[in-house]
Structures are given as structure tokens and as C-alpha cells.
Amino acid sequence: MINDFEYFTPKTVEEALALLSQYKEDSKVIAGGQSLLIPMKQGLVAPKYLIDIKGISSLDYISFDENDGLKIGSLTTHRAVEQSPVIRKRFGLLSEMESKVASVQTRNWGTIGGNLCHSDPAGDPVPVLIALNGTVKMVSSRGERTISVEDFSTDYFETVLEPDEILAEIQVPDLPPHTGNAYIKFTKREGDMAIVGTTVSITLDSKNGICKDVRIVLGAIAPVPMRAREAERVLVGKEINNKLLEKAANAASEEASPVSDIHASEEYRKELVKVLVKRVGREALERAQKA
Ligand SMILES: Cc1cc2nc3c(=O)[nH]c(=O)nc-3n(C[C@H](O)[C@H](O)[C@H](O)COP(=O)(O)OP(=O)(O)OC[C@H]3O[C@@H](n4cnc5c(N)ncnc54)[C@H](O)[C@@H]3O)c2cc1C
């Protein structure tokens, strides 16, 4: 049963930050409530003050320019990200990933910022944003700070956010030339959370096709999405072929440390990493060669 709480509906970021600064640990931000209401109903989270930011329209936007890259307000829904023409044109991977988050109903209400702050290790956006070298801007009445998405989640359902901070914006730099990327989410049923999620982003040297940069990011195999850095080292500086991708996939599987749960065993997840890194890597490579 949900505990009693006082409910606020600030209309500006400043109002929300003033409330958070007043109530700190006793308060909780709510965006769409899709993830927060579950632990509240279970009694695991029992805020005295609930600060509903869904009505702050200044946090709901998508903008792009070639110097500053892509900026997404934290209250932008999954569906808006999925359908944005500029995201489809320039960051197709983000749109593709969003089309795999839950169902249209969930995507119509859930926010990308709420998803990051919930910090579910099986969530879809974080691995993809890490592969895209994304950053997040957090604000509080003390000021603002920006960190990489890679450093934002710290543990199962934990982030670096302080109790008086709000995640305000997600930023993605424009892609370097000759970059290709892909994402696969392995599930038992469409729309489920990932059993393993895998993203690969490859940047090739235009002169000789050598791999200049690569990011391989795995979801649902550790407390937070992780880069498979050993696997990346296998590919960088080389001309990628199937044999090398297989070597990288084996390295990724070695460095993954999944747990067994009701959805899949540790061994099964490790096998999946081998298969998916190879498969997604091939797709990312083909896209980079055409970019
Ligand atoms: C049926 C169902 C299926 C789902 N399937 C998937 C899936 O396949 N893949 C996937 O990735 N996700 C999935 N999700 C989660 C979904 O993406 C939610 O949209 C997401 O978790 C955020 O929900 P929300 O915006 O309602 O945030 P809320 O539930 O309101 O908040 C979530 C957490 O973030 C905090 N928070 C929210 N916004 C901010 C902010 N701007 N600043 C600071 N703190 C903030 C809240 O305090 C809370 O702790 C699913 C959810 C449901 C209900």
C-alpha cells in the first residue's frame, strides 16, 4: 500500500528545484510514474513529498545543430524520440532503440529522463546513449553539472543524482563521418525488458577502412550497462572482418559478469553476448562502410 504523501505540481524548473532543496531525502521526483509507482506500491520507496515534474513544459524538447549536436529535454517521451524526424535522419539508432521499448502505450507516457534515472540495468536507452558518447546535464539550486552517460548509473537502480538534483537534458554529439551503429535487444517476447542488450558503434578511417574507434556496450549483464573494453581493443586499429568480430565477441563474453535470474542463467547470457556482439558488430560495420 502506498504511504500518504504531500503532492506538488511545479510548473517551472526553479519551483521544482526549490522544493527539492527544501525537502531533499524526504522527497521524490515523479515524471510519468511508470517505474516509480511500482516500488512505491511495494513500500520500498516511501517519500513524504512527491514532486510531479511532468507539467514542466520547458523540459520537453528535441533540438539539433551541427556544432552542439542533439539535445533532448529529460521529459521528452520515448515515443517523441522514436518519431522525431531529426533523430530518424541523423541518429537512426536512437529511434530504432526507442521502437523496442515496451509498448506504444508505455512509450507515449514514459520519459527518456525517467528511464535513465530509474537506472534499470536492462533498460534500453542507456547502452545506446553510451555508444553514442552521450552526456547528461543535471541541475539543482546550487548550479548545474554535466557528466557522460557512462558515469551516470552507479549500481542497480542507483545513479549519481543528489537528492536535490533533477536530470534536465540528454546530449548527443553529431556522429563522426563513416560511423555505423546498431542495437539488438534479445527478449523472449516483443516489448519485454532485455535479457541481453548489445550496441556497437564503429567509426572507420575513410582512407583505408581501418577501425578508428569502436564502442561495444552491453545491457542486462552487470549492475549497470558496461562497455566491453577488451573486445573494443581487439578491433581498434584493425581492418574488421568476421574472424576479428568473433574474437571480439569472445572477449566481450569473457568480460561480461551477468547473474542468473528467472529470465536466464549466467551461462546463457554469456553465450548470448558472443552471438549478439558478432551479429550487431557486422551490422554496424556494414552501416559504417556505407556512411
Ligand atoms: C509495462 C512497462 C514496460 C516497460 N518496458 C521497458 C523496456 O522494454 N525497456 C526500457 O528501457 N524500459 C521499459 N520500461 C520503463 C519505461 O521506459 C519508463 O518510461 C521509464 O522507466 C521511466 O518512466 P517515467 O518517465 O514514468 O519515470 P518515473 O517512474 O516517474 O520515474 C522513474 C525514476 O526516475 C526519477 N526521475 C524521473 N525523472 C527524473 C528527472 N528528470 N530528474 C530526476 N529524477 C527523475 C524518479 O524519481 C524515479 O526514481 C517499461 C515500463 C513499463 C511500465
Side-chain angles (χ1 to χ4, degrees):
M1 204 170 94
I2 293 186
N3 68 302
D4 287 342
F5 52 81
E6 209 170 322
Y7 179 68
F8 298 96
T9 54
K11 289 289 172 278
T12 64
V13 173
E14 293 69 29
E15 271 177 62
L17 295 182
L19 288 163
L20 280 174
S21 143
Q22 185 177 353
Y23 297 121
K24 294 201 173 78
E25 284 87 356
D26 288 334
S27 66
K28 199 82 188 142
V29 166
I30 184 166
Q34 294 199 129
S35 297
L36 180 61
L37 285 178
I38 300 165
M40 281 183 71
K41 281 183 185 164
Q42 291 167 336
L44 296 170
V45 178
K48 288 187 189 151
Y49 306 96
L50 204 55
I51 301 170
D52 187 343
I53 60 171
K54 187 84 172 170
I56 305 180
S57 54
S58 64
L59 290 177
D60 181 1
Y61 56 87
I62 294 171
S63 71
F64 173 78
D65 88 56
E66 275 167 19
N67 295 323
D68 288 347
L70 178 69
K71 297 190 169 177
I72 307 175
S74 60
L75 289 180
T76 310
T77 62
H78 295 292
R79 187 73 168 152
V81 176
E82 178 192 348
Q83 296 196 313
S84 154
V86 71
I87 291 181
R88 280 194 170 159
K89 185 165 167 219
R90 307 197 70 114
F91 302 91
L93 179 68
L94 261 182
S95 177
E96 258 176 60
M97 173 279 292
E98 287 289 13
S99 72
K100 294 173 183 154
V101 170
S103 60
V104 172
Q105 291 93 322
T106 304
R107 299 202 289 277
N108 268 332
W109 192 250
T111 65
I112 188 162
N115 186 292
L116 266 62
C117 295
H118 185 53
S119 192
D120 187 323
D124 297 294
V126 174
V128 166
L129 288 167
I130 294 174
L132 293 173
N133 198 14
T135 50
V136 283
K137 184 170 91 182
M138 295 161 279
V139 294
S140 71
S141 45
R142 296 171 286 115
E144 65 175 60
R145 59 184 178 132
T146 300
I147 62 162
S148 68
V149 175
E150 200 174 343
D151 295 328
F152 184 66
S153 292
T154 53
D155 207 337
Y156 291 103
F157 308 103
E158 296 282 345
T159 70
V160 298
L161 274 175
E162 297 291 341
D164 63 343
E165 277 182 319
I166 281 180
L167 172 62
E169 186 175 88
I170 294 137
Q171 305 159 340
V172 183
D174 204 3
L175 295 183
H178 308 292
T179 296
N181 41 44
Y183 176 62
I184 289 185
K185 163 185 187 173
F186 187 88
T187 55
K188 284 190 188 141
R189 291 174 313 180
E190 201 180 313
D192 276 1
M193 297 296 286
I195 291 176
V196 171
T198 304
T199 318
V200 178
S201 180
I202 294 174
T203 302
L204 297 177
D205 189 321
S206 62
K207 291 195 281 296
N208 50 20
I210 298 288
C211 171
K212 261 177 38 178
D213 193 22
V214 59
R215 284 180 171 230
I216 301 173
V217 192
L218 307 172
I221 50 84
V224 298
M226 63 162 263
R227 277 179 74 179
R229 288 183 188 272
E230 288 302 322
E232 292 174 1
R233 273 193 273 278
V234 171
L235 300 179
V236 83
K238 316 242 176 57
E239 191 174 347
I240 302 177
N241 54 32
N242 281 345
K243 210 165 160 208
L244 214 55
L245 276 175
E246 184 152 356
K247 201 170 162 199
N250 288 342
S253 175
E254 280 294 307
E255 57 191 311
S257 54
V259 291
S260 298
D261 60 21
I262 53 163
H263 304 293
S265 66
E266 177 189 343
E267 295 75 20
Y268 186 70
R269 284 194 161 97
K270 274 183 165 281
E271 273 307 304
L272 270 179
V273 170
K274 267 190 214 165
V275 174
L276 296 183
V277 168
K278 222 175 351 179
R279 196 177 294 169
V280 184
R282 240 184 332 252
E283 203 172 336
L285 179 64
E286 279 167 19
R287 289 178 176 180
Q289 285 163 340
K290 286 183 200 145

